[in-house]
Amino acid sequence: MKLKLLFFLFAFTCISCSQKKETTSAAKTPKLNQYITVLGTAQDGGFPHIGCQKECCENFYNGTYKKQKVVSLGLVDLQNKQKWIFEATPDMSTQLADLEQHHLKKETIIDGVFLTHAHIGHYTGLMYFGREALGKQGTKVYAMPTMKTFLETNGPWSQLTTIKNIELLTLQNDSTIVLNKQLKVTPFLIPHRDEFSETVGYKISGSNKTALFIPDIDKWHTWKKSIIEEVKKVDYAFLDATFFNQKEVKRAMTEVPHPFIEETIDLFKNETTETKNKVIFIHFNHTNPALQKNSIEKSNAEKLGFKFALEGQNYEL
Ligand SMILES: [Zn+2]
Ligand SMILES: [Zn+2]
Ligand SMILES: [Zn+2]
């Protein structure tokens, strides 16, 4: 009995001290002025995935894992009271709510949306700006020329522009958009299955730090630039990590080409830990062990210096 009481007291003391520790470290964290916040990490189909009754998604239905939203980054500027979102995902309504509730409250729902391409995980969230949902006027949406024409000339997206729910702004390859004195965004063309639009990645630059965002690309060698050199130029690189390795892909790789995490790790094997630390994997397919807690594959990659994006992480700019 005495032992039981001692154990209880010990456990209680530990809980209260760990709580105290958390509060102290949170209080010490300086408030960031400009930063990127991760709003989603899954591939277009999300997690759980349609039609999947296998172990990966079973972990959601049995309550072991929570839903993972589709890939998206928020760009927050507390100094100038502005916020932007990268990608209009099918989870966009809750991702915008996340920005509002946990980052910056303001009258405007969002100061701008940056689109990468016309695959379902990356633009279909625009539907929430329409008459059936938000129905407000003039939300700024930045898109490349073919992407812009695709939206203007195909229903239901065309209605968003004809009744002016959104205002489409044209981006140009390698041409920088100056958001304010502190923040700049530069789109650049990326090789990807361009059925309906071109595909871009983004460079997001702040006063102190710069990030690269390439959620979808065919294979690194199909790009005219060297991913290693591009990563070296920035502080953070959010990179396409759809599949961990070949084992996950049951269909022809030509249908869905992506660099495997294993290939990216191999490509960077002779680079310094400092360079590897910049790589933050994102855009995970439901089958990817990187989505699973306690995954050996993930922890081995982390030991080598690579990182994995998690919803709620903030990266100072
Ligand atoms: Zn995608
Ligand atoms: Zn699954
Ligand atoms: Zn895509």
Side-chain angles (χ1 to χ4, degrees), residues 134-261:
L134 190 71
K136 289 202 172 146
Q137 294 276 290
T139 299
K140 288 189 171 67
V141 177
Y142 296 86
M144 290 292 285
T146 316
M147 180 80 214
K148 182 172 178 272
T149 310
F150 169 77
L151 295 171
E152 285 167 338
T153 53
N154 291 285
W157 320 108
S158 51
Q159 185 175 271
L160 296 170
T161 58
T162 50
I163 66 172
K164 298 190 168 54
N165 295 128
I166 63 171
E167 180 196 346
L168 281 170
L169 300 154
T170 317
L171 295 170
Q172 295 296 343
N173 183 32
D174 286 329
S175 174
T176 300
I177 304 283
V178 178
L179 295 175
N180 59 33
K181 275 187 184 159
Q182 280 74 31
L183 293 169
K184 287 184 289 188
V185 171
T186 313
F188 50 87
L189 286 166
I190 284 291
H192 187 44
R193 302 173 285 115
D194 294 341
E195 295 102 336
F196 301 110
S197 74
E198 65 281 82
T199 301
V200 287
Y202 285 102
K203 192 175 263 188
I204 307 161
S205 313
S207 312
N208 304 307
K209 295 194 171 165
T210 301
L212 205 61
F213 179 46
I214 307 177
D216 260 302
I217 186 162
D218 285 352
K219 288 280 184 192
W220 295 124
H221 67 83
T222 59
W223 192 23
K224 61 179 196 293
K225 290 184 189 171
S226 149
I227 185 60
I228 296 173
E229 293 313 309
E230 295 308 305
V231 167
K232 282 181 184 170
K233 288 182 205 162
V234 299
D235 300 279
Y236 322 109
F238 297 90
L239 302 184
D240 180 349
T242 311
F243 304 111
F244 210 100
N245 55 37
Q246 178 75 53
K247 280 184 241 164
E248 287 166 70
V249 192
K250 302 285 179 261
R251 45 179 155 159
M253 198 59 199
T254 44
E255 267 181 45
V256 283
H258 288 280
F260 297 129
I261 292 182

Side-chain angles (χ1 to χ4, degrees), residues 219-220 244 258-268:
K219 288 280 184 192
W220 295 124
F244 210 100
H258 288 280
F260 297 129
I261 292 182
E262 279 185 357
E263 290 174 332
T264 308
I265 289 176
D266 191 55
L267 200 63
F268 281 80

Side-chain angles (χ1 to χ4, degrees), residues 44 117 119 122 192-193 216:
D44 301 43
H117 65 300
H119 282 159
H122 302 263
H192 187 44
R193 302 173 285 115
D216 260 302

Side-chain angles (χ1 to χ4, degrees), residues 36-41 72-74 95 98 103 238 280 282 309-315:
I36 285 170
T37 185
V38 177
L39 298 172
T41 61
S72 174
L73 300 180
Q95 289 167 328
D98 183 353
H103 299 277
F238 297 90
I280 305 157
I282 201 162
L310 259 183
E311 216 179 292
Q313 283 171 339
N314 296 335
Y315 293 87

